[in-house]
Amino acid sequence: MSIVAWLVLGLLAGAIAKLILPGRDPGGCAGTTAIGIAGAFLGGWLSAELLDRPVQREFYDAATWGSAVAGALVLLIAYRLLFGRSRN
């Protein structure tokens, strides 16, 4: 896949992660978008390195989408833990 396809996949993965984990994020829409893009790259890389499941060249591969959404979820949770507001 090209870089543009990964960016689109990251945008959509970030939106899906936001739907799965609703709530207020400290970074707003731009932060969630950036987390989605970074999560797509992270998920694809982890899938290829740790799970020995190389990323397919097809945009509509279910494993690619799953790894992108999982990466976005991991980064969104970490972002909320590190930069979230306290609940005093």
Side-chain angles (χ1 to χ4, degrees), residues 63-83:
T64 302
W65 278 87
S67 65
V69 171
L73 281 171
V74 167
L75 287 183
L76 185 60
I77 290 169
Y79 183 69
R80 285 183 181 179
L81 289 174
L82 292 174
F83 299 107

Side-chain angles (χ1 to χ4, degrees), residues 1 6 9 36-56 63-72:
M1 278 194 311
W6 273 106
L9 178 64
I37 293 170
F41 283 106
L42 175 70
W45 179 76
L46 288 175
S47 174
E49 293 296 320
L50 299 178
L51 301 177
D52 198 29
R53 170 85 167 114
V55 175
Q56 300 296 321
T64 302
W65 278 87
S67 65
V69 171

Side-chain angles (χ1 to χ4, degrees), residues 6-54:
W6 273 106
L7 291 174
V8 171
L9 178 64
L11 289 171
L12 295 173
I16 292 169
K18 182 69 173 165
L19 287 174
I20 294 172
L21 291 173
R24 294 180 48 140
D25 292 322
C29 186
T32 303
T33 301
I35 287 172
I37 293 170
F41 283 106
L42 175 70
W45 179 76
L46 288 175
S47 174
E49 293 296 320
L50 299 178
L51 301 177
D52 198 29
R53 170 85 167 114

